[in-house]
Amino acid sequence: QHILRQHIHENDKVLHVGCGNSTLGEDLYDDMNGCVDIVNMDFATNVIETMRERNKNIRPSLKCPLTNLWLCA
C-alpha cells in the first residue's frame, strides 16, 4: 500500500481487478479521503455483496460491481 500511495493522487481512477476480500480499495479510499475513483471488481458474488454491505454507509462512492472477469479478457 505504501508504494501505491506514492503514485495515486487526488482524482485518479483505480481499478482493483480480482479484489477478493482485500481491504486495499477501502484503505486507499480512506487514505485519500474519498477523492479517488476506486472500483473493486470480482466475480465472487458473496465477496462483492459483503464488500457492498460493509461500505454502503461509510464509503458510499466506493464501487463494487459483480463482474464476469472472463468476459473482460
Side-chain angles (χ1 to χ4, degrees):
Q1 288 178 6
H2 177 69
I3 293 170
L4 289 176
R5 288 184 195 124
Q6 294 175 6
H7 301 284
I8 297 173
H9 307 286
E10 190 173 311
N11 299 318
D12 280 353
K13 295 182 180 187
V14 176
L15 176 61
H16 187 187
V17 177
C19 63
N21 59 4
S22 167
T23 62
L24 177 61
E26 296 163 329
D27 295 339
L28 288 173
Y29 183 97
D30 293 344
D31 288 347
M32 301 298 291
N33 297 315
C35 294
V36 176
D37 184 11
I38 300 172
V39 177
N40 290 303
M41 187 179 282
D42 206 290
F43 65 88
T45 305
N46 61 328
V47 169
I48 292 299
E49 288 175 358
T50 299
M51 189 174 289
R52 285 179 185 161
E53 186 63 30
R54 186 172 63 220
N55 291 294
K56 70 179 178 183
N57 294 320
I58 56 176
R59 298 177 189 94
S61 62
L62 187 67
K63 299 173 190 79
C64 304
L66 182 64
T67 306
N68 185 337
L69 298 175
W70 295 111
L71 296 177
C72 298

